[in-house]
Each structure stands twice: as C-alpha cells, then as structure tokens.
Amino acid sequence: MDDIAVKRHLSALPQDVIDAENDKLMAAHLYDYESLRVRLERSDVDIETVVRRLMTLEVGLPSWGMISGGTRFARFPMPGEPNNIFEKIEDCAAVHQIAGMTPRISLHFPWDVTYDYTEVRQYAEAYGIGFDAVNSNTFQDQPGQTLSYKYGSLSHTDRATRQQAIEHNLECIEIGQKLGSNALTVWLSDGTNFAGQAQFAETLERYLDSMTEIYAALPDDWRVFLEHKLYEPAFYSTVIQDWGTSILCAQQLGPKAQCLVDMGHHAPNVNIEMIVARLAQFGKLGGFHFNDSKYGDDDLDAGSINPFQLFLIFNELVHAEERAAKRGAAFDPSYMMDQSHNVTDPMESILNSARAIGGAYAKALIVDRAAMAAYQDANDVMMGHNCLRLAFETDVRPALAEARRRKGGAIDPMAAFRATGYRAEKARARQPRRAERGGIC
Ligand code: LRH
Ligand code: MN
C-alpha cells in the first residue's frame, strides 16, 4: 500500500506517538483491509478508489464546539479546554492530525472576536488549518449594544435595529476576508412566541431587504448560507423556519445565496435526506451542520443517535455529485459540524463524529448505483432497498482507517488521542474556565 507524501505543518500532537500506536495496530489493520478489499472486489468495487475519495473528504469544525457546551440549565467546564481562539485552533489542528479530514475551523462572532486577524490566520496556517464559513450572531445582545435583538434583528420592525444587524454581518464578512474564509452563515433566531405578535409576510419582507444589503456586500467568490430552523429560541414561529422558506429566499437573493442544512433543525421524523436531494437538484445546497438529535436541536454527536439517516444523507450527496458531474454543474457543499459537547471531551466527540461522517460517506461510495437504478426502474422495491442496506451493513472501518493513516493520522483515533495525553497536558497548562449557570457556550 503506497504512502502519500504528507505536507508537514506545526504538529499539535507528538506525531511519533500516533505512529507508534499505528505500528501496534498495523498487522490487524492490514488483515482487515485485505478482507474488505476482497469483499468489495466481489461487488466490483475497488477499495483503492474508495480510499482516495475518502481522502478528499473535509469537514469544518465549529470553534464553539471545541469547548464544553451547555444548555439553558448549566454548562460544566472541563479542565484543559481552550480559553481563546488560538487554543481552539491548536485543538482543531490536533483533531486534524489524527482524523486527517478536519482542516478548517468555522468561527463565530463576536464569540471569537480578537484584535489581529492576520495574526490568527498566520497562527492557523502554521498548523495547516484554514477557515470555513464565518457565523454572525444577532441572537444575543452584546454588552454596550444600543438596540436590542429581543424582538428580532434582520427582520425587526425598527429600521435602526435592522441596520445594526446588517452592519454586524458586514463586519463578519470583513473579518472573514482577513482570515481567508469565503462564506458567511446567517442563522436567525428571529421569530415569535405568540400568534399576533408579528405579521409573517411583512416580517419576511424586512428580512429579505436586510439580506439583500448583506448579499450586495459579498465578495465575488463568497457565498452566504441561510440556515433554517424549526423553533428555539422562538416557540410559535421562526422567520426562516424550514427549507422551503430558505430556498425561496436564496432564489430571490441570487446565485451566491444557498441553504445550509443543520440536521437538528427539523421536526421529528422529517425526511432530511429528501430535503438534501431537493436543495441539490435546484443548485441551492450550500452546506451542512452535521450533528444528531433524538428530540429537538440536541446538537449531539453526528451518527450517535441515527447513523442510518446520516448514511442516507451521504447516499443522496454521492448521487447528487454524480448528477452534477453529468450536467457539468457545480457541486460544492460545505461540510461542517455544529455540536454541543456537554458531557464528553469535545475533541473525543469530534473525533468520533468525524469517524461517523467518514463512515457514512464510505458506505455511500460502495452502493451499487447501477444495480439500484435498474431495480428502481423495474420497481423491484425490495432489491432497490437492499442495495442501500448492503452498503450500510458493510464494515468500512478499514478503508477509513487507511485513509487516515495515509494522511499521517491514526488507525484508531481515540486510542491515539488518549496515548498523547494531550488533554491532561492542557489541563496543566491552561487556565481553568469557571462554571456558568447556563448558555450554549
Ligand atoms: C442555531 C445554530 C447555529 C449557530 C448556533 C451555535 O441553533 O445551529 O448554527 O449559530 O447553533
Ligand atoms: Mn447550526
């Protein structure tokens, strides 16, 4: 098996420890890899092709996910968690060193505000880390803020409050340009708790007016991602409540506006994979916030509750990518995580989620699409379905491990991470964060 040259940056983790852990597992890994190679060959799937595709998979990490998350009830900090943007970038680099598929961090403003973004960019580049979409925040009032977002921001009835929110988004674009990002994610908490509190059409018109000003400020190569959400913090209506409203707004705004699918932002049992197919079909699939949920917007680890749904989403993504290729159309959704790690080590949760996302993609890559299409045309329902079940039930872990190994990462991410003693070392080096009553972060 050939080793691809790995471009070396500053290492957040001792690479020799990762290599030593891999050496311990190499014999078993080679055996498992060969068994999978033979297994896939029987279905005319070349494992080398799968591994190479897996090595192109990249998922952005949420800066706010690098620290312990919380709920409205409480947040329980963990020793050694990062206290500033530099420590968050260092942890992101450590995760990428092991997982090989998380080369970008997505910042949130003003949570990640700092003085010198060129310094931040240089620090990240030294670790080989780039910047994914930047996130604006008009769902909290900042100390000293003149106009409150209690009754909304970009859709507020008051022109001055909307202008304040527009200017914040323009500032996020400026910061993003300094960081080398090329997208802005706008999630809006604007909504109502009572019928009669606001007029739906007029509210959306104000939102579109504001977004039109933000859209006009986008650099040529930028995109703006509209993130819909069913509810919370508004509990009667939310301005961008579903993918339908989101795609209508994205179509109205223009080609640089696309829709972002946060997996936790839908009513229970909604067919998210079909939403993905729809958005892709109309060229409006901008990106994802991968996570998982059992009830509401739980922001749990991707693949930890419903791995079959994550697989079905990647099945639609692989199909959409092939459709786009046939039509010479662009297909470049931005994959990001958006999780809240309330009871686990954030880095371990992210390593686990990266494995789940990579695994879902690997399984989607081995689906026999020609056979499935033939069964679909013949309305052979059971055999069509079983094409997906067979792929989902295939243990693709050796292919994923090999993709990580070839990028200098770990065959077993969790074992390698724990072997480095990174968190204990950071617990000694970093200031402890004080416990807070409540709040996401
Ligand atoms: C809203 C959301 C959004 C972020 C926030 C941290 O629920 O998913 O993407 O701004 O979480
Ligand atoms: Mn989100």
Side-chain angles (χ1 to χ4, degrees):
M1 275 187 280
D2 52 354
D3 277 10
I4 308 281
V6 177
K7 197 154 163 290
R8 284 266 168 263
H9 297 277
L10 271 182
S11 295
L13 296 170
Q15 185 63 39
D16 58 336
V17 173
I18 298 172
D19 297 343
E21 286 297 314
N22 284 351
D23 293 346
K24 283 188 222 161
L25 299 168
M26 202 56 189
H29 170 61
L30 289 176
Y31 178 86
D32 295 346
Y33 187 81
E34 179 57 16
S35 330
L36 180 59
R37 185 191 70 74
V38 173
R39 164 87 192 64
L40 293 178
E41 197 173 51
R42 280 207 303 271
S43 331
D44 298 327
V45 174
D46 171 17
I47 194 170
E48 278 299 316
T49 310
V50 174
V51 170
R52 289 187 181 286
R53 294 274 298 269
L54 282 174
M55 292 172 74
T56 67
L57 178 65
E58 296 183 341
V59 179
L61 297 184
S63 63
W64 59 97
M66 306 313 291
I67 61 172
S68 298
T71 69
R72 59 184 166 167
F73 300 107
R75 194 185 79 82
F76 302 98
M78 183 193 69
E81 63 181 71
N83 288 300
N84 56 53
I85 187 59
F86 299 96
E87 293 179 352
K88 288 176 182 175
I89 290 170
E90 187 186 9
D91 290 3
C92 179
V95 167
H96 182 50
Q97 196 176 339
I98 286 182
M101 56 177 272
T102 58
R104 285 182 300 279
I105 187 167
S106 176
L107 301 190
H108 215 299
F109 295 100
W111 293 342
D112 294 316
V113 82
T114 186
Y115 309 102
D116 182 346
Y117 293 104
T118 308
E119 182 196 10
V120 171
R121 182 174 183 166
Q122 287 162 350
Y123 182 85
E125 279 169 357
Y127 279 108
I129 296 296
F131 293 89
D132 214 308
V134 292
N135 299 267
S136 60
N137 173 346
T138 58
F139 51 85
Q140 294 171 321
D141 287 346
Q142 305 307 324
Q145 184 176 308
T146 39
L147 300 166
S148 172
Y149 294 137
K150 180 174 181 177
Y151 299 114
S153 61
L154 294 174
S155 73
H156 198 290
T157 52
D158 170 50
R159 172 77 201 146
T161 306
R162 299 200 299 274
Q163 195 55 38
Q164 177 184 270
I166 291 167
E167 273 147 28
H168 166 66
N169 280 276
L170 301 187
E171 195 194 339
C172 290
I173 293 172
E174 276 167 40
I175 295 171
Q177 285 183 283
K178 290 182 186 138
L179 294 168
S181 170
N182 63 6
L184 167 71
T185 296
V186 180
W187 168 65
L188 220 61
S189 62
D190 293 25
T192 65
N193 277 5
F194 293 85
Q197 177 180 342
Q199 207 56 45
F200 299 137
E202 285 73 11
T203 303
L204 192 63
E205 271 165 6
R206 292 191 296 269
Y207 163 81
L208 282 167
D209 288 351
S210 300
M211 284 304 298
T212 301
E213 287 192 43
I214 295 168
Y215 187 94
L218 291 172
D220 293 347
D221 62 345
W222 271 55
R223 294 186 283 178
V224 61
F225 299 146
L226 313 183
E227 183 177 0
H228 60 272
K229 183 173 182 179
L230 181 66
Y231 75 101
E232 189 211 36
F235 295 104
Y236 170 67
S237 74
T238 295
V239 175
I240 308 300
Q241 183 160 35
D242 53 53
W243 75 277
T245 305
S246 184
I247 198 171
L248 288 171
C249 293
Q251 287 170 333
Q252 169 127 342
L253 289 167
K256 291 186 218 172
Q258 293 184 308
C259 307
L260 183 142
V261 178
D262 183 313
M263 294 179 61
H265 288 187
H266 304 87
N269 309 324
V270 159
N271 188 327
I272 301 176
E273 57 271 21
M274 190 170 80
I275 294 173
V276 169
R278 292 279 184 270
L279 292 172
Q281 181 167 359
F282 295 94
K284 284 298 182 183
L285 182 63
F288 284 87
H289 278 176
F290 289 120
N291 49 50
D292 214 334
S293 48
K294 187 150 184 65
Y295 304 105
D297 186 19
D298 310 342
D299 284 338
L300 298 172
D301 295 2
S304 65
I305 301 286
N306 190 348
F308 190 54
Q309 176 179 258
L310 186 60
F311 160 70
L312 292 176
I313 286 172
F314 270 93
N315 174 54
E316 291 304 329
L317 288 168
V318 169
H319 183 66
E321 188 171 13
E322 289 180 1
R323 275 173 57 90
K326 282 194 197 111
R327 289 167 173 73
F331 184 78
D332 179 22
S334 179
Y335 299 148
M336 292 169 277
M337 289 183 204
D338 177 1
Q339 301 179 173
S340 183
H341 308 115
N342 303 354
V343 293
T344 55
D345 181 317
M347 292 173 71
E348 295 192 350
S349 269
I350 287 173
L351 285 170
N352 241 23
S353 303
R355 219 162 51 83
I357 293 166
Y361 184 40
K363 292 177 184 216
L365 288 173
I366 66 174
V367 171
D368 186 341
R369 295 185 184 280
M372 186 164 68
Y375 290 130
Q376 289 167 343
D377 290 347
N379 294 306
D380 186 338
V381 178
M382 206 75 271
M383 292 309 285
H385 175 65
N386 282 353
C387 287
L388 294 183
R389 292 285 289 273
L390 182 64
F392 180 69
E393 291 159 2
T394 302
D395 180 356
V396 294
R397 290 177 295 177
L400 211 49
E402 180 58 13
R404 285 192 298 268
R405 189 190 71 78
R406 290 186 190 181
K407 299 179 84 170
I411 291 172
D412 180 336
M414 206 60 72
F417 177 65
R418 292 196 171 182
T420 65
Y422 181 83
R423 187 59 80 190
E425 181 218 323
K426 295 305 172 190
R428 285 188 295 278
R430 292 175 176 172
Q431 291 302 312
R433 292 175 74 107
R434 51 183 177 71
E436 277 120 15
R437 257 196 306 289
I440 182 172
C441 68

